[in-house]
Amino acid sequence: MKLSNKLYDVIKWIATILLPAAMTLLTALNAAWQWGLPIEAIDATIAAIITFLGAIMSFSTALYNKENKE
């Protein structure tokens, strides 16, 4: 499963910018406004998604490097 450059860049942006920023925003707003959201569960879910996307990116990078090394 080798990702295209464009898809890789989108996933990288989501995993490194969007999701961590969303997690920080939700955590801060939940504390400030006392919304009562299950923030630990939300943070754990976002962290799991980030980890999954990182694994996909690592696998794709390994395939790319293997193909271009030969």
Side-chain angles (χ1 to χ4, degrees), residues 29-45:
L29 291 177
N30 188 58
W33 291 96
Q34 299 175 353
W35 289 337
L37 296 174
I39 205 66
E40 294 83 12
I42 294 170
D43 285 351
T45 301

Side-chain angles (χ1 to χ4, degrees), residues 11-31:
I11 291 173
K12 183 177 178 181
W13 180 80
I14 290 169
T16 61
I17 304 296
L18 179 66
L19 290 176
M23 186 166 57
T24 302
L25 178 65
L26 284 172
T27 301
L29 291 177
N30 188 58

Side-chain angles (χ1 to χ4, degrees), residues 2-16:
K2 190 175 90 175
L3 304 173
S4 69
N5 286 341
K6 183 174 181 170
L7 181 56
Y8 181 91
D9 289 342
V10 169
I11 291 173
K12 183 177 178 181
W13 180 80
I14 290 169
T16 61

